[in-house]
Structures are given as C-alpha cells and as structure tokens.
Amino acid sequence: MPSRRAALVLVLLASLLAGCGGTTGGDRPNAVHAGIYTATSRGYDEAEGVTLTIRKPGAATDALSLLEAGRADFAVLDIHDLALARERGHDLVGVMAIVQRPLAAVLARPDVRTPRDLEGRRAGVTGLPSDEAVLRSVVRGAGGDPGRVRETTIGFDAVRALLAGRVAGATAFWNVEGVALDRRRPGFRTFRVDDYGAPSYPELVLCVTRQTLAERASVVRATIRALQRGYREAQADPESAVQTMLQADPGLDGDELAAQMDAVAPAWTAGAAEFGQLQPAVLRRWAAWDLRFGILKRPLDLRRAFDTALVTRPPDE
C-alpha cells in the first residue's frame, strides 16, 4: 500500500461514451464502468491508500490526450486505440483488462439473417479503422464477401440509422447500442465479432504512461486492487451497482442501465482466472487479428504494450 494517500484522476473511454449518442447521452457513463463507480462510492480506493476522481472526457478532449498530457493518471482505452497510440510512438501501457471479450458487433435489421446477407446492401461504420475491420471480419466469418458490402460513414449514430432504415447493418457496441436497439424495437440482430472469426480479446483496458508505471508502480497496483474489488462487488450485486451509478448521474436511464448491466457483467470475467487479468496468449491472438485486418501496420511489441504481471488474486474480503 502507498505510504501516503495519492490523489488520482481516472478518465473513462471517450469513444464508448460517444457511441451512446442518441440513446443514453454522449457524455454519460454506461454499465461497463459500474465497477469504477462502485469502487469510488464505497471507498475501496481510499482503503488502498489512493483517492480516485472520475473524469468523463468531453467533445473537445479524449481519454488518450488527457493521459498523455498528464492531466489524468489512468485512462480506460479501447485496446485498438492503445495499439494505434503505440504505433504512433506514444509509450502507453495496458495494466488491467476491464472486460475479457470484444464489445464490437455488427447490428442489423431483422431481415439480415446472417452477416452474409449484407452483401449488396449499405452498412454503417463510424469511420474508425477498427470498425471497418469488425465489419470485414464479421462478413467474412459468415462466408460472405466484405468487398460487396456498401460501407457508409454514419459516425456514432448506429441506432438512429438502423431504426430509420438508412442502413441494413452498422458496427456498434453490443453492450450499449445493441441494448438500446433491442429495448426500442426488438427483433434486430446482433452479430458479435468474436462469434464470426475474431479472437476473444479484452476490448477495454486500463492504461497508464510508461513514466507513471516506472515511478508509481505501487499506486498503479493499489488502483488495480481497488477496481478489482469494485467490479467484483458490481458483479455480485448488480442492482446496487446500478443505484450507485444513478446516484452519481441521475440523468441516466435506470432501466436501460440495468439492461446494460445484465448484458455486460459476464464479460468482466469471461475466460479469466481473475478480474482484470491480461492473458499473454489472448493478447497474441488479438494482435495478429489487428494486423491481419489492417488496424495495425506492423507487429505490436506486446511486452512493451502491456504489463501482464500487475493483476493478482485479491485477498478474500
């Protein structure tokens, strides 16, 4: 435990928040963050000798830029964004998995029985390279030809675009847009990327700079322990975790948050021995997939990109 209390800033994921646009509000958290809110609300951070302040990135900033500028100590990043940042020369390190499987999916209208049915039809993407890779992987995994799908950039507006019939399918997160779509109009289909050729990988990762890890390793470990406890509690008592988030942000939709929780909670520990575990074999398969589908231009040095030894089994409370 750190010898004196450390005041830290933890920034949530910018693109996942933006992905809620038109559903739950672009500047608000969703259930994937429940363990973070639980940890801070119940003082699990202070019990470890740290004080975490949660910051939600706005339209003009993102988690990555705040982390690199030293205005945040930790950031929850999409694993592809971490890899791309490292490819651009930024020495960031993933230290903990927030989920153990991809959240990316292709959502589709009811008449799209298989991703192969998107051939010759319009499919929306946000414009991010990882989205294009998800669409190609899902269509190819279903035996289709991705080159025959008519990609169109719709930004973070998958739900509205699908409901309006502007596209037959769209890349999105199944735990947010997928839940919102199902609640608004049941019958739409969700094709998760790891069900169609992609490996299972941790979509969201807690990240720090190399300097923070080198100079404040004990603080990083303490923060990991606090978040592990928060996510364990949120998984054990999801109703309480939903109430904690509603207290932090009363503008959230409680029913939608509960539905998100039901969807995403199993992904927090799926296939892992401990919450937060970063598994080298899993990371190798993910990095090969990113390279194959063009997200990365060159192989990623996984030993530099991740520290897989920081997450350990928490003591019994």
Side-chain angles (χ1 to χ4, degrees), residues 178-261:
V179 168
L181 192 60
D182 186 63
R183 293 186 70 240
R184 282 152 181 76
R185 194 176 300 173
F188 279 74
R189 302 186 188 273
T190 299
F191 304 117
R192 299 188 186 190
V193 67
D194 51 335
D195 289 334
Y196 289 90
S200 189
Y201 58 81
E203 181 88 46
L204 305 181
V205 181
L206 184 70
C207 298
V208 298
T209 63
R210 176 75 56 190
Q211 182 177 357
T212 294
L213 184 57
E215 297 177 357
R216 308 177 76 186
S218 62
V219 170
V220 174
R221 291 189 180 93
T223 300
I224 289 173
R225 290 194 298 270
L227 295 183
Q228 281 184 303
R229 190 175 176 188
Y231 275 97
R232 289 170 66 194
E233 182 64 23
Q235 196 169 48
D237 190 355
E239 292 183 6
S240 179
V242 167
Q243 291 304 313
T244 295
M245 293 192 70
L246 290 174
Q247 290 171 8
D249 190 340
L252 291 171
D253 182 321
D255 290 338
E256 188 145 321
L257 196 61
Q260 292 175 2
M261 188 76 74

Side-chain angles (χ1 to χ4, degrees), residues 293-311:
F293 281 89
I295 299 175
L296 294 174
K297 295 182 176 63
R298 56 182 180 273
L300 183 67
D301 185 344
L302 292 171
R303 290 176 298 179
R304 296 288 294 174
F306 299 93
D307 190 325
T308 62
L310 293 170
V311 172

Side-chain angles (χ1 to χ4, degrees), residues 93-152:
V93 185
V95 296
M96 178 186 190
I98 301 297
V99 290
Q100 293 291 341
R101 66 173 302 183
L103 302 178
V106 173
L107 307 181
R109 295 183 59 80
D111 62 319
V112 179
R113 294 167 298 174
T114 167
R116 187 172 60 250
D117 292 342
L118 290 171
E119 291 181 350
R121 304 181 70 177
R122 192 180 302 276
V125 294
T126 64
L128 298 174
S130 56
D131 275 8
E132 296 173 7
V134 166
L135 179 60
R136 292 197 304 272
S137 181
V138 168
V139 173
R140 184 174 297 170
D145 180 0
R148 296 184 60 192
V149 178
R150 297 161 57 198
E151 289 187 17
T152 182

